[in-house]
Every structure is written in C-alpha cells, then in structure tokens.
Amino acid sequence: MKITWESLVPSCCISENPKPKPKQSKLVTKQSSFQRISVSDFSGSTISEDLSISLAGSNLYVFSVQELKVITQNFSSSNFLGEGGFGPVHKGFIDDKLRPGLKAQPVAVKLLDLDGTQGHREWLTEVIFLGQLRHPHLVKLIGYCCEEEHRLLAYEYMPRGSLENQLFRRYSVSLPWSTRMKIALGAAKGLAFLHEAEKPVIYRDFKASNILLDSDYNAKLSDFGLAKDGPEGDDTHVSTRVMGTQGYAAPEYLMTGHLTAASDVYSFGVVLLELLTGRRSVDKSRPNKEQNLADWARPQLKDARKLARIIDPRLEGLYSEEGVQKAALVAYQCLSHRPKARPDMSTVVKTLETLKDYKDISTMTFVYIAPADQHKQSPQRELLNKRNTNTKTPHKKLTPNSPLHNDFHRA
Ligand SMILES: Nc1ncnc2c1ncn2[C@@H]1O[C@H](COP(=O)(O)OP(=O)(O)OP(=O)(O)O)[C@@H](O)[C@H]1O
Ligand SMILES: [Mg+2]
C-alpha cells in the first residue's frame, strides 16, 4: 500500500493557475556548461517551459499527449506492459519521422494515474534525475510530457521487462545462475555509478521490479521517483520521511529516517538474496519466520550446508558452489545491521566481477547403476542431488493473488 507524496507534500512544482502548455513538442537543446540540477532547485511554481529550460543539455524530448497517443496506438490494451504505483505502462513505437535526430525505436510510455498513489512530485524527480544521468546500467529516459494535468514519461523499451517478472512470474523460465550473476553485476554497476557521481545520488527504491532487462539480460535501473541527492559537506546522512518498499529498506533507515548510500547497499543485498533463493523479499504465504527474506536467510549464508538448503531449487543444482558461496558472502555483508560494516557498491562490483568466470556447473552427482542382469533393460541413470538431500521444503509457488507490492509510506 502506497501513500502518495501529493497527499503529504504540497505539490511544489505546479503553479496554482497552470498556464496552458504548448502543444508543440520540441527537443530540449544543449547548453555548454551543464551542471546537474536538483529537485530542490524547483521549489517555486515551475511549469513545463521552465523544466525544459532547466534541463537544457539533457537531450530529452518534450512530447505532446497527442504524440504519445499515436506512439502507443491510443494506449491500446494490446500494448499494455504492466502497472505500478505511478500508473500504467504501454509499449509504443517512435518512427523516424517524429522528430529530426530521434531514431525509430520501441519505447515504454508511463502514464501518471491521476487517481493513483504517486504524483507530480515523483514524475518531476524522475525527469530531473534520469534526464541528467546517463549510464549503460540506467534506463534511458527519452522524453516526457507535461500538458495540463497530464504527466507521462517515455523510456527506451526493455524487452525482458523487470527482474521481478523474470524471477517470480508464474510461468517464467528459471534464470540460469550465470544470468542471475550478470543481472546482479549490472545492477551493482548502476548503483555504484549513482553513489560515486560527482554529486552522489541515493536511489532509495532498489528492488527487483525496478531492475529492467534488455534482450541480453543487461540490467538497468528504472524509477527514480524516490531518488535523493546524497549528503553534502560534513553531513553523514540525509533526513527524510521513510519511503521505499517493505522488505528492501534498511533497518536503520526504517528506524531513524536517516538515509545514506549504505541504505541502498542493504536493498542490493536483499535483491541478491532474491536471486540466490528465488524467494520474494516479503512473502506472506510462507510460515511466519520465513516471511521476511533478509531476516530468515541472512543467518544461513555463511554456513555452506545451510546455504545449500536455501538456494533456489529451480536452479536444479546448476551453479558453481564456490560462486554461490562468494555471492552469499556479498549478500551477508550488504545485509549487515551496521551500515558502516556494509561494503560500498564499487567493492561489490569488484567481487561480482570475479563471479563471471564461474560457469553453471552441475553440482549434482550422476551415479551409474550397472544392471544386475545383462539381459535386462538398458542401464539406468539415477540423478542424485546430494547437495539438496536435506531440502525437504519444496519451493512454494506464489498464486496470482499473492501481493506483488509491499510498499509502505510513499509519503
Ligand atoms: N522501459 C520499460 N520497458 C519495458 N517494460 C517496462 C519499462 N518500464 C516499466 N516496464 C514494465 O511496466 C511495469 C510497471 O512498471 P512500474 O515501474 O510502473 O511499476 P513497478 O516497478 O512494478 O512498481 P513501483 O510503482 O513500485 O515501482 C513493470 O512490469 C515493468 O516491467
Ligand atoms: Mg518500477
């Protein structure tokens, strides 16, 4: 359940009498000295015109509602990709005639649901951050629309959707171990880029549904609606309302509202656990002590035998034991309750880089049982999963009615 920003924070960026927005779309042009601007720079009554001036240099396109309707075939249900707290997302296609310099490409168009749980503030935060941050592991924002009360965003289309869908959707094919590690590494690089930027960014909503995948399973972070500029000068943290998603948010952040890059590192640890175990960060359908993934799994990560019991059974033993242990150790460190004991994201990246070399080796043992009688049927092969012999609890599949989102306070 999400609580909107709008209900708690005055909509700081809409003038009381919004002027009609220009219908004609345009490309925000470059300016020579470009410094990243912050959401706080938009404390006045800002209209779309001001936004496009402020984001000059970002190469964002400003679209009209009419253009986005054409692109998505009037937001047709056949183009529907999914829906989060912001509103529905539709696939669309930009043709090369739409705008000079804008190549023909598929896009994902996110439409702010005016009755939804998120609002203009998150839309603006997304435009400001993603409009200015460019990296191979951040989803590319192509443009936006701010016309009267309408707020839309157009992104590069990510053909494999979200990690959440890939890992947990009912009929999804299980991701191989090496693919899981590739995704973890890509997402870690995205976070490291944010944390190490000249003006660091705390992402604040790191979770499986916000990690999008291209056709080669390159991971890109999306949804910057909750992102924050990191602490400046001697400040050790940013004080905020507690926002994020239950099961992913760091315990000290939940307790104090003090936000640091280490809060993102904790959330990264939770996603790494989801990749290791194939379990959701919060799963109310499980027994009480297993419902919160981090609380349940962390104590089992450093013991090889316990670890073997919590690895995703859908991997069917196809992973490198050493690789799994290394990844589990990273997760263990990221999930420390002492934020200072957590590694920084560049250290995580370095460790995960080394896991690329491990192949999806079968950890199962094939036992050849010679036929007792030569004339009987052909030799049998018995597959014994020695490692998983103690795994009595089968992996519970979630029903379609299970909660997908465990969001709290979107204040
Ligand atoms: N650029 C994109 N390319 C392809 N699919 C996308 C893209 N952006 C979003 N989607 C899909 O749209 C759906 C909704 O995404 P959205 O980010 O709005 O919500 P969410 O992440 O599921 O929830 P939340 O509001 O908590 O972030 C997801 O299933 C996602 O896979
Ligand atoms: Mg999302």
Side-chain angles (χ1 to χ4, degrees), residues 275-324:
L275 287 162
L276 277 162
T277 62
R279 293 178 177 227
R280 288 178 179 278
S281 59
V282 175
D283 187 348
K284 300 278 185 210
S285 69
R286 292 189 184 273
N288 273 349
K289 66 178 182 19
E290 295 184 24
Q291 288 185 1
N292 181 298
L293 179 60
D295 293 346
W296 170 75
R298 189 171 185 260
Q300 313 189 58
L301 293 173
K302 280 176 93 177
D303 176 325
R305 277 180 50 203
K306 288 184 183 163
L307 176 63
R309 282 184 228 148
I310 65 168
I311 297 299
D312 188 352
R314 297 220 299 162
L315 284 166
E316 297 180 333
L318 290 171
Y319 50 81
S320 143
E321 200 167 338
E322 205 183 327
V324 160

Side-chain angles (χ1 to χ4, degrees), residues 33-76:
S33 62
F34 180 64
Q35 245 197 333
R36 192 164 71 73
I37 54 157
S38 298
V39 181
S40 54
D41 299 331
F42 283 79
S43 50
S45 58
T46 303
I47 54 166
S48 98
E49 196 68 354
D50 299 336
L51 189 60
S52 60
I53 292 165
S54 305
L55 287 178
S58 64
N59 276 350
L60 284 181
Y61 289 85
V62 187
F63 297 110
S64 65
V65 172
Q66 185 52 34
E67 280 175 323
L68 294 173
K69 275 188 180 170
V70 172
I71 287 169
T72 57
Q73 295 173 306
N74 216 1
F75 300 99
S76 83

Side-chain angles (χ1 to χ4, degrees), residues 84-85 110 162 203 205 207 209-212 222-223 405 410:
K110 214 181 245 195
S162 72
Y203 180 57
D205 206 13
K207 56 180 176 178
S209 76
N210 283 343
I211 299 171
L212 300 179
S222 71
D223 278 1
H405 299 282
R410 298 276 254 193

